[in-house]
Amino acid sequence: AKREGKNGVRFFASTLDVAAQSQMFTEVRLRRALQRQELHLHYQPQVDARTGALLGLEALVRWTDEQLGDVPPARFIPVAEESGLIVPLGQWVLNEACRQLAQWGPGVPVAVNVSVLEVARDDFVAGVRSTLERHGLSGTQLKLELTERLAVRDLHRAARHLSQLRDLGVRLSLDDFGMGQSSVSTLLKLPLDELKLDRSLLADLEDSPEARRIVESLIGLARGLNLSVIVEGVETTGQLEILRAMPCSAVQGYLTGRPAAPDAWTERIRAVQSE
Ligand code: C2E
Ligand code: CA
Ligand code: CA
Ligand code: CA
Protein backbone atom coordinates (compact mmCIF):
# COMPACT_ATOMS: atom_id res chain seq x y z
CA ALA A 1 0.00 0.00 0.00
CA LYS A 2 2.92 2.35 0.76
CA ARG A 3 4.20 2.37 -2.81
CA GLU A 4 0.78 3.09 -4.19
CA GLY A 5 0.85 6.42 -2.39
CA LYS A 6 -2.02 8.35 -0.91
CA ASN A 7 -4.67 7.12 -3.28
CA GLY A 8 -3.66 3.52 -2.81
CA VAL A 9 -3.91 3.86 0.94
CA ARG A 10 -7.23 5.62 0.75
CA PHE A 11 -8.49 2.95 -1.61
CA PHE A 12 -7.40 0.27 0.82
CA ALA A 13 -8.96 2.01 3.79
CA SER A 14 -12.26 2.66 2.10
CA THR A 15 -12.63 -0.93 1.02
CA LEU A 16 -11.35 -2.31 4.30
CA ASP A 17 -13.27 -5.48 4.13
CA VAL A 18 -16.82 -5.00 5.29
CA ALA A 19 -16.49 -8.38 6.96
CA ALA A 20 -13.35 -7.32 8.86
CA GLN A 21 -15.04 -4.12 9.98
CA SER A 22 -18.11 -5.87 11.25
CA GLN A 23 -15.85 -8.40 12.94
CA MET A 24 -14.07 -5.59 14.79
CA PHE A 25 -17.36 -4.04 15.80
CA THR A 26 -18.67 -7.40 16.97
CA GLU A 27 -15.54 -7.83 19.07
CA VAL A 28 -15.93 -4.42 20.71
CA ARG A 29 -19.60 -5.02 21.49
CA LEU A 30 -18.97 -8.56 22.73
CA ARG A 31 -16.28 -7.39 25.14
CA ARG A 32 -18.74 -4.84 26.48
CA ALA A 33 -21.50 -7.44 26.77
CA LEU A 34 -19.20 -9.72 28.76
CA GLN A 35 -18.25 -6.93 31.14
CA ARG A 36 -21.88 -6.02 31.65
CA GLN A 37 -23.00 -9.63 31.95
CA GLU A 38 -25.45 -9.26 29.08
CA LEU A 39 -25.16 -12.80 27.76
CA HIS A 40 -27.51 -15.56 28.79
CA LEU A 41 -27.95 -19.27 28.22
CA HIS A 42 -30.65 -21.30 26.58
CA TYR A 43 -30.89 -25.06 27.00
CA GLN A 44 -31.82 -27.74 24.48
CA PRO A 45 -32.85 -31.28 25.49
CA GLN A 46 -30.89 -34.37 24.52
CA VAL A 47 -33.30 -37.30 24.57
CA ASP A 48 -33.46 -41.07 24.29
CA ALA A 49 -34.29 -41.77 20.64
CA ARG A 50 -36.73 -44.54 21.53
CA THR A 51 -38.51 -43.28 24.64
CA GLY A 52 -38.03 -39.52 24.42
CA ALA A 53 -36.73 -39.53 28.00
CA LEU A 54 -34.67 -36.50 28.96
CA LEU A 55 -30.97 -37.46 29.08
CA GLY A 56 -29.39 -34.04 29.39
CA LEU A 57 -29.50 -30.40 28.37
CA GLU A 58 -27.04 -28.55 26.15
CA ALA A 59 -26.26 -24.97 27.17
CA LEU A 60 -26.23 -22.58 24.20
CA VAL A 61 -25.09 -19.01 24.63
CA ARG A 62 -27.40 -16.16 23.58
CA TRP A 63 -26.57 -12.51 23.01
CA THR A 64 -28.84 -9.60 22.21
CA ASP A 65 -26.97 -6.36 21.52
CA GLU A 66 -28.69 -2.97 21.56
CA GLN A 67 -27.23 -2.07 18.18
CA LEU A 68 -26.66 -5.42 16.51
CA GLY A 69 -29.84 -7.09 17.74
CA ASP A 70 -29.81 -10.86 18.30
CA VAL A 71 -26.37 -12.05 17.27
CA PRO A 72 -26.22 -15.80 16.56
CA PRO A 73 -23.32 -17.72 18.17
CA ALA A 74 -22.24 -18.87 14.70
CA ARG A 75 -21.32 -15.22 14.12
CA PHE A 76 -19.74 -14.23 17.43
CA ILE A 77 -18.07 -17.45 18.63
CA PRO A 78 -15.54 -17.41 15.75
CA VAL A 79 -14.84 -13.73 16.55
CA ALA A 80 -14.40 -14.65 20.22
CA GLU A 81 -12.01 -17.45 19.28
CA GLU A 82 -9.86 -15.22 17.10
CA SER A 83 -9.74 -12.35 19.59
CA GLY A 84 -9.14 -14.42 22.71
CA LEU A 85 -12.49 -13.36 24.16
CA ILE A 86 -13.43 -17.03 24.06
CA VAL A 87 -11.56 -17.47 27.35
CA PRO A 88 -13.63 -15.09 29.51
CA LEU A 89 -16.74 -16.06 27.52
CA GLY A 90 -16.11 -19.76 28.15
CA GLN A 91 -15.55 -19.10 31.84
CA TRP A 92 -18.78 -17.16 32.03
CA VAL A 93 -20.74 -19.90 30.22
CA LEU A 94 -19.34 -22.66 32.42
CA ASN A 95 -20.03 -20.75 35.62
CA GLU A 96 -23.55 -19.82 34.55
CA ALA A 97 -24.36 -23.39 33.45
CA CYS A 98 -23.04 -24.72 36.78
CA ARG A 99 -25.01 -22.15 38.74
CA GLN A 100 -28.17 -23.22 36.91
CA LEU A 101 -27.31 -26.90 37.33
CA ALA A 102 -26.92 -26.44 41.09
CA GLN A 103 -30.29 -24.70 41.20
CA TRP A 104 -31.96 -27.56 39.30
CA GLY A 105 -30.28 -30.24 41.40
CA PRO A 106 -28.88 -33.61 40.27
CA GLY A 107 -30.45 -35.99 37.76
CA VAL A 108 -30.10 -34.23 34.44
CA PRO A 109 -26.53 -33.41 33.34
CA VAL A 110 -25.72 -30.25 31.42
CA ALA A 111 -23.47 -30.16 28.34
CA VAL A 112 -21.28 -27.10 27.82
CA ASN A 113 -19.54 -26.24 24.53
CA VAL A 114 -15.82 -25.60 24.74
CA SER A 115 -13.33 -25.10 21.98
CA VAL A 116 -10.17 -27.18 22.07
CA LEU A 117 -8.40 -23.83 22.16
CA GLU A 118 -9.69 -23.24 25.69
CA VAL A 119 -8.94 -26.76 26.80
CA ALA A 120 -5.26 -26.50 25.86
CA ARG A 121 -4.72 -23.59 28.26
CA ASP A 122 -2.75 -24.37 31.39
CA ASP A 123 -5.42 -23.04 33.73
CA PHE A 124 -8.34 -24.92 32.16
CA VAL A 125 -8.52 -27.91 34.52
CA ALA A 126 -8.17 -25.77 37.64
CA GLY A 127 -10.88 -23.46 36.29
CA VAL A 128 -13.37 -26.28 35.73
CA ARG A 129 -12.55 -27.87 39.08
CA SER A 130 -13.01 -24.63 41.01
CA THR A 131 -16.24 -23.84 39.16
CA LEU A 132 -17.66 -27.26 40.07
CA GLU A 133 -16.59 -26.74 43.68
CA ARG A 134 -18.00 -23.23 43.84
CA HIS A 135 -21.44 -24.63 43.01
CA GLY A 136 -21.10 -27.84 45.02
CA LEU A 137 -21.34 -30.05 41.93
CA SER A 138 -19.88 -33.42 41.06
CA GLY A 139 -18.05 -33.76 37.75
CA THR A 140 -20.55 -36.42 36.69
CA GLN A 141 -23.20 -33.71 36.26
CA LEU A 142 -21.14 -32.02 33.56
CA LYS A 143 -20.45 -32.91 29.95
CA LEU A 144 -18.11 -30.95 27.70
CA GLU A 145 -18.79 -30.80 23.96
CA LEU A 146 -15.49 -30.19 22.21
CA THR A 147 -15.28 -28.23 18.99
CA GLU A 148 -12.24 -27.77 16.84
CA ARG A 149 -12.88 -24.76 14.68
CA LEU A 150 -9.26 -23.69 14.75
CA ALA A 151 -6.27 -25.89 14.18
CA VAL A 152 -4.71 -26.57 17.53
CA ARG A 153 -0.99 -26.89 17.96
CA ASP A 154 -1.17 -28.77 21.15
CA LEU A 155 -3.80 -31.47 20.95
CA HIS A 156 -1.62 -33.54 23.25
CA ARG A 157 -1.81 -30.96 25.98
CA ALA A 158 -5.57 -30.72 25.49
CA ALA A 159 -5.75 -34.51 25.78
CA ARG A 160 -3.83 -34.46 29.06
CA HIS A 161 -6.18 -31.84 30.49
CA LEU A 162 -9.22 -33.75 29.33
CA SER A 163 -7.99 -36.93 31.04
CA GLN A 164 -7.73 -35.04 34.31
CA LEU A 165 -11.32 -33.84 33.95
CA ARG A 166 -12.45 -37.32 33.09
CA ASP A 167 -10.96 -38.48 36.38
CA LEU A 168 -13.45 -36.10 38.03
CA GLY A 169 -16.29 -37.85 36.19
CA VAL A 170 -16.78 -35.17 33.54
CA ARG A 171 -18.02 -36.69 30.28
CA LEU A 172 -16.39 -35.70 27.00
CA SER A 173 -18.12 -35.45 23.66
CA LEU A 174 -16.58 -34.66 20.27
CA ASP A 175 -18.95 -32.14 18.68
CA ASP A 176 -19.80 -31.63 15.00
CA PHE A 177 -18.37 -34.97 13.94
CA GLY A 178 -18.58 -35.46 10.18
CA MET A 179 -18.21 -31.76 9.46
CA GLY A 180 -15.21 -29.47 8.98
CA GLN A 181 -12.29 -30.12 11.26
CA SER A 182 -13.83 -32.72 13.51
CA SER A 183 -11.78 -35.57 12.14
CA VAL A 184 -11.04 -39.21 12.62
CA SER A 185 -7.49 -38.41 13.70
CA THR A 186 -8.90 -36.40 16.62
CA LEU A 187 -10.58 -39.57 17.82
CA LEU A 188 -7.16 -41.07 18.34
CA LYS A 189 -5.76 -38.12 20.20
CA LEU A 190 -8.48 -37.14 22.65
CA PRO A 191 -9.98 -39.19 25.47
CA LEU A 192 -13.69 -39.27 24.64
CA ASP A 193 -16.98 -40.75 25.83
CA GLU A 194 -19.29 -39.62 23.08
CA LEU A 195 -19.41 -38.75 19.40
CA LYS A 196 -21.89 -36.09 18.38
CA LEU A 197 -22.86 -36.32 14.73
CA ASP A 198 -23.29 -32.97 13.01
CA ARG A 199 -26.68 -32.04 11.70
CA SER A 200 -25.32 -31.53 8.17
CA LEU A 201 -25.27 -35.35 7.95
CA LEU A 202 -29.06 -35.42 8.20
CA ALA A 203 -29.81 -33.22 5.20
CA ASP A 204 -30.43 -36.07 2.76
CA LEU A 205 -31.20 -38.81 5.24
CA GLU A 206 -34.77 -39.31 4.06
CA ASP A 207 -34.00 -39.33 0.32
CA SER A 208 -30.59 -40.85 -0.04
CA PRO A 209 -29.59 -44.43 0.80
CA GLU A 210 -25.95 -43.26 0.70
CA ALA A 211 -26.62 -40.60 3.32
CA ARG A 212 -28.23 -43.29 5.49
CA ARG A 213 -25.25 -45.57 5.05
CA ILE A 214 -22.85 -42.81 6.04
CA VAL A 215 -24.72 -42.11 9.27
CA GLU A 216 -25.01 -45.83 9.95
CA SER A 217 -21.27 -46.24 9.42
CA LEU A 218 -20.43 -43.40 11.77
CA ILE A 219 -22.67 -44.93 14.43
CA GLY A 220 -20.83 -48.21 13.86
CA LEU A 221 -17.50 -46.42 14.12
CA ALA A 222 -18.51 -44.96 17.47
CA ARG A 223 -19.70 -48.31 18.73
CA GLY A 224 -16.42 -49.92 17.63
CA LEU A 225 -14.57 -47.35 19.70
CA ASN A 226 -16.86 -47.81 22.68
CA LEU A 227 -18.27 -44.32 22.39
CA SER A 228 -21.89 -43.38 22.79
CA VAL A 229 -23.51 -41.45 19.94
CA ILE A 230 -25.87 -38.53 19.79
CA VAL A 231 -27.25 -37.17 16.54
CA GLU A 232 -28.00 -33.45 16.44
CA GLY A 233 -30.37 -31.46 14.28
CA VAL A 234 -33.25 -33.95 14.07
CA GLU A 235 -36.17 -31.98 12.67
CA THR A 236 -38.64 -34.50 11.23
CA THR A 237 -40.33 -37.68 12.40
CA GLY A 238 -39.05 -39.31 9.21
CA GLN A 239 -35.45 -38.67 10.28
CA LEU A 240 -36.19 -39.88 13.79
CA GLU A 241 -37.71 -43.14 12.50
CA ILE A 242 -34.69 -43.85 10.31
CA LEU A 243 -32.28 -43.12 13.15
CA ARG A 244 -34.21 -45.30 15.59
CA ALA A 245 -33.99 -48.21 13.20
CA MET A 246 -30.21 -47.95 12.82
CA PRO A 247 -30.28 -48.00 15.90
CA CYS A 248 -29.19 -44.63 17.23
CA SER A 249 -29.68 -44.18 20.96
CA ALA A 250 -29.78 -40.43 21.54
CA VAL A 251 -30.97 -37.43 19.55
CA GLN A 252 -31.23 -33.68 19.83
CA GLY A 253 -33.10 -31.32 17.55
CA TYR A 254 -36.06 -29.06 16.98
CA LEU A 255 -38.33 -32.12 16.76
CA THR A 256 -37.65 -33.18 20.35
CA GLY A 257 -37.18 -29.70 21.79
CA ARG A 258 -35.91 -26.29 20.75
CA PRO A 259 -33.40 -24.36 22.84
CA ALA A 260 -35.30 -22.41 25.50
CA ALA A 261 -34.74 -20.39 28.66
CA PRO A 262 -33.99 -22.45 31.80
CA ASP A 263 -37.49 -22.07 33.28
CA ALA A 264 -38.93 -24.03 30.36
CA TRP A 265 -37.15 -27.19 31.59
CA THR A 266 -37.64 -27.06 35.33
CA GLU A 267 -40.76 -29.25 35.34
CA ARG A 268 -39.28 -31.94 33.11
CA ILE A 269 -36.20 -32.03 35.32
CA ARG A 270 -38.40 -32.42 38.41
CA ALA A 271 -40.13 -35.35 36.71
CA VAL A 272 -36.81 -37.10 36.06
CA GLN A 273 -35.72 -36.44 39.65
CA SER A 274 -38.86 -37.93 41.13
CA GLU A 275 -38.68 -41.11 39.05
P1 C2E B 1 -23.60 -26.76 18.09
O1 C2E B 1 -22.79 -27.01 19.32
O2 C2E B 1 -23.50 -27.75 17.00
O3 C2E B 1 -25.09 -26.57 18.62
C1 C2E B 1 -26.22 -26.91 17.88
C2 C2E B 1 -26.76 -25.73 17.12
O4 C2E B 1 -27.80 -26.19 16.26
C3 C2E B 1 -27.42 -24.69 18.00
O5 C2E B 1 -27.30 -23.45 17.32
C4 C2E B 1 -28.87 -25.13 18.02
O6 C2E B 1 -29.77 -24.11 18.34
C5 C2E B 1 -29.03 -25.60 16.61
N1 C2E B 1 -30.04 -26.63 16.46
C6 C2E B 1 -30.46 -27.52 17.37
N2 C2E B 1 -31.39 -28.35 16.85
C7 C2E B 1 -31.55 -27.98 15.57
C8 C2E B 1 -32.41 -28.45 14.51
O7 C2E B 1 -33.18 -29.40 14.63
N3 C2E B 1 -32.30 -27.81 13.31
C9 C2E B 1 -31.45 -26.75 13.12
N4 C2E B 1 -31.43 -26.18 11.93
N5 C2E B 1 -30.66 -26.28 14.10
C10 C2E B 1 -30.70 -26.89 15.31
P2 C2E B 1 -26.79 -22.15 18.04
O8 C2E B 1 -27.34 -22.07 19.43
O9 C2E B 1 -27.04 -21.03 17.12
O10 C2E B 1 -25.23 -22.39 18.19
C11 C2E B 1 -24.40 -22.49 17.07
C12 C2E B 1 -23.03 -22.96 17.46
O11 C2E B 1 -22.37 -22.00 18.27
C13 C2E B 1 -23.06 -24.23 18.32
O12 C2E B 1 -23.19 -25.35 17.46
C14 C2E B 1 -21.72 -24.15 19.00
O13 C2E B 1 -20.68 -24.64 18.18
C15 C2E B 1 -21.53 -22.67 19.18
N6 C2E B 1 -21.89 -22.31 20.57
C16 C2E B 1 -23.11 -22.07 21.11
N7 C2E B 1 -23.00 -21.78 22.42
C17 C2E B 1 -21.68 -21.87 22.72
C18 C2E B 1 -20.90 -21.68 23.93
O14 C2E B 1 -21.42 -21.41 25.02
N8 C2E B 1 -19.53 -21.82 23.82
C19 C2E B 1 -18.93 -22.15 22.63
N9 C2E B 1 -17.58 -22.29 22.62
N10 C2E B 1 -19.62 -22.34 21.50
C20 C2E B 1 -20.98 -22.20 21.54
CA1 CA C 1 -22.58 -28.53 20.83
CA1 CA D 1 -23.18 -28.85 14.99
CA1 CA E 1 -20.62 -27.43 17.62
Side-chain angles (χ1 to χ4, degrees), residues 58 60 113 145 147 175-176 196 232:
E58 178 182 5
L60 294 160
N113 290 286
E145 296 191 2
T147 56
D175 209 346
D176 299 326
K196 189 163 188 187
E232 73 173 13

Side-chain angles (χ1 to χ4, degrees), residues 49-95:
R50 252 177 350 97
T51 64
L54 184 63
L55 302 174
L57 291 160
E58 178 182 5
L60 294 160
V61 68
R62 294 291 177 260
W63 173 32
T64 306
D65 180 82
E66 279 165 24
Q67 291 178 42
L68 297 166
D70 285 341
V71 190
R75 222 173 87 205
F76 69 83
I77 293 292
V79 173
E81 285 179 333
E82 273 155 46
S83 62
L85 280 177
I86 194 69
V87 173
L89 187 148
Q91 286 165 348
W92 181 84
V93 168
L94 181 67
N95 185 68

